[in-house]
Amino acid sequence: MQKEWYVVNTYSGHESKVKEKLEMRASSMGMEDYILRVVVPEQTEVEIKDGVKKEKVKKMFPGYILVEMVMTDEAWFVVRNTPGVTGFIGSSGKGAKPFPLTPSEVDKILGSMGMSRLEIGNNLNIDDMVKVIGGPFANMYGKVKNINMEEQKLEVALDLFGQETIVELGLTEIEQA
């Protein structure tokens, strides 16, 4: 089973409370290996009011949170039965499990928040194999040679016409092989 991102519907205005409750339930029920990250999609906007600059955190999708999880019956049950959760998006109901978000959808949402789908250091290390999912090298496999945390970029050695070539890629252009 692999971990994927899912959209969970919550009561509007209760996203942070649901995130907290879900994280507490995951740890108290021993589900940390299945429910990995819970994210409330937010952006900081600068507002100028009466000549004073104020930063305001605004929810990108009111009433929704993102959950990175391994979809097992137990994990699905824990998330669905967390107080404040009204269901998963992408499920037809009637006990059907939801469809996960695509990597490009997750990259777009997390990227706008300054986050990444892959956790460098936890998920990605030098000499790991990765698959390129975007750009001119899509569907090629390579080995990570260098990681630049600040710029969210990495250097990957690809086999181009029988010769190893180092290319620089963004985290949104790769997934673990």
Side-chain angles (χ1 to χ4, degrees):
M1 286 284 218
Q2 73 181 50
K3 60 185 179 174
E4 295 182 289
W5 287 90
Y6 295 88
V7 180
V8 176
N9 196 326
T10 68
Y11 295 128
S12 191
H14 292 249
E15 300 87 355
S16 296
K17 287 180 189 168
V18 171
K19 172 186 181 339
E20 195 178 300
K21 286 178 184 170
L22 183 54
E23 288 171 341
M24 282 177 19
R25 279 177 57 101
S27 76
S28 70
M29 298 175 99
M31 298 296 290
E32 297 102 330
D33 293 340
Y34 297 96
I35 300 170
L36 305 161
R37 285 196 281 176
V38 182
V39 175
V40 178
E42 301 173 316
Q43 282 184 318
T44 305
E45 292 183 350
V46 176
E47 226 175 55
I48 300 175
K49 199 174 198 179
D50 299 327
V52 178
K53 253 188 196 180
K54 282 188 176 179
E55 284 191 0
K56 188 177 180 183
V57 176
K58 191 173 181 186
K59 304 240 183 315
M60 292 167 60
F61 309 110
Y64 298 96
I65 60 174
L66 300 179
V67 180
E68 183 182 28
M69 61 186 284
V70 177
M71 185 56 76
T72 64
D73 290 339
E74 296 83 17
W76 186 46
F77 179 83
V78 169
V79 174
R80 270 190 338 201
N81 293 297
T82 298
V85 170
T86 57
F88 278 88
I89 301 301
S91 172
S92 63
K94 304 179 191 91
K97 289 201 176 119
F99 291 102
L101 290 170
T102 64
S104 63
E105 290 170 329
V106 175
D107 289 337
K108 212 178 278 182
I109 295 167
L110 294 181
S112 67
M113 294 171 54
M115 295 173 70
S116 168
R117 176 172 46 89
L118 297 172
E119 292 179 57
I120 295 178
N122 294 350
N123 292 3
L124 206 55
N125 298 301
I126 291 180
D127 288 334
D128 282 357
M129 288 299 289
V130 294
K131 179 182 179 186
V132 183
I133 57 170
F137 304 109
N139 298 322
M140 294 184 79
Y141 290 86
K143 192 179 277 192
V144 176
K145 291 296 183 188
N146 189 16
I147 299 174
N148 184 340
M149 300 266 292
E150 290 82 43
E151 294 181 27
Q152 298 279 302
K153 293 191 181 283
L154 39 107
E155 290 179 359
V156 178
L158 299 175
D159 181 15
L160 294 176
F161 309 112
Q163 185 174 353
E164 187 177 273
T165 305
I166 306 286
V167 294
E168 187 177 80
L169 300 168
L171 282 180
T172 59
E173 297 178 288
I174 59 113
E175 65 181 23
Q176 278 187 301

